[in-house]
Amino acid sequence: MDEGAEIDITRHGKVVARLVPARPRMASEAFADFWSDTDGFDLQAPPDLPPKTHPRWTPDSPLIHP
């Protein structure tokens, strides 16, 4: 199967469905309707949280564990 190929699904020789590749979309396109209507929303970035550490991590632990 070649990338971008269309597939016809037939029944008794007649095309009953066609599978076509999805057009690539950017996330900004997918959420365009949401971002255009923000009435009633107070959108703010959450505060940055400190990174989580492993329970056995100590300041002198090596960066790479075997």
Side-chain angles (χ1 to χ4, degrees):
M1 170 76 49
D2 293 330
E3 184 176 336
E6 294 184 6
I7 300 170
D8 290 338
I9 299 174
T10 61
R11 180 176 178 154
H12 304 293
K14 294 177 98 178
V15 175
V16 294
R18 180 171 288 130
L19 302 176
V20 296
R23 160 180 93 71
R25 295 193 318 172
M26 301 287 292
S28 58
E29 291 175 43
F31 290 101
D33 292 339
F34 174 77
W35 292 116
S36 66
D37 182 20
T38 56
D39 293 338
F41 288 99
D42 184 17
L43 301 174
Q44 294 181 359
D48 285 339
L49 299 175
K52 294 180 179 177
T53 58
H54 191 276
R56 295 185 304 201
W57 181 84
T58 64
D60 7 318
S61 296
L63 294 177
I64 300 173
H65 296 281

